[in-house]
Amino acid sequence: MTQKSPELTTGIRHFSIQLSPTPRGARLARLLATEQLRSWGLPLDPARQVIAELSANAAEHGRIPGRDFRLLLYVVADTLRIEVTDTRGDRLPTPRLPAPESESGRGLLLVDALADRWGVTPGLPPRKTVWAELTL
């Protein structure tokens, strides 16, 4: 009698899109990813917030005119992995406490609070990928 492994019978779901590193591109990343999560029947939050923060960071801090960023979502077993790759490998994200009156600078603190794991992986120069994983 042969037993099938659950990993082999469950397909890997993935979604990938390349977008302009602008506020509009970051917003579009969040909207398209939300629809993809919905089509997969997955919970929208906190994934939607993590995607929004990582995409906004790529548009703000990873921006080089003429070079897009890539959003990749994939699900393996009970884990959703979110990856945002930009072309500023020389700028590594570091969570910092902003001044209380600051209107920005809390994105990575939110990612750290919402994700089960997150990190940065260097890519082929000049790229880097900031990733986060959520247990579903």
Side-chain angles (χ1 to χ4, degrees):
M1 182 171 171
T2 305
Q3 288 185 335
K4 288 187 177 182
S5 169
E7 291 82 23
L8 297 177
T9 58
T10 305
I12 297 173
R13 294 176 279 181
H14 69 282
F15 169 80
S16 178
I17 190 162
Q18 195 165 317
L19 298 155
S20 65
T22 61
R24 183 173 185 255
R27 188 172 50 254
L28 192 55
R30 179 182 50 82
L31 293 171
L32 293 172
T34 297
E35 287 309 309
Q36 186 62 55
L37 293 170
R38 188 174 281 125
S39 77
W40 286 339
L42 298 178
L44 302 181
D45 294 312
R48 177 172 32 194
Q49 185 66 38
V50 171
I51 292 162
E53 296 299 340
L54 295 183
S55 297
N57 282 351
E60 170 101 9
H61 305 292
R63 181 173 195 212
I64 294 180
R67 294 185 181 170
D68 295 340
F69 76 92
R70 176 170 298 282
L71 169 67
L72 172 66
L73 307 177
Y74 60 94
V75 179
V76 178
D78 67 345
T79 300
L80 168 64
R81 184 168 171 111
I82 301 160
E83 295 184 359
V84 176
T85 301
D86 66 43
T87 54
R88 289 300 304 258
D90 59 324
R91 285 187 162 179
L92 298 179
T94 307
R96 286 176 244 179
L97 282 175
E101 66 277 357
S102 179
E103 293 183 13
S104 64
R106 293 171 182 80
L108 287 177
L109 296 173
L110 286 170
V111 170
D112 189 54
L114 297 172
D116 295 302
R117 292 165 296 288
W118 77 275
V120 182
T121 304
L124 293 173
R127 295 170 189 84
K128 73 171 176 301
T129 299
V130 183
W131 57 268
E133 292 181 344
L134 303 168
T135 302
L136 301 170

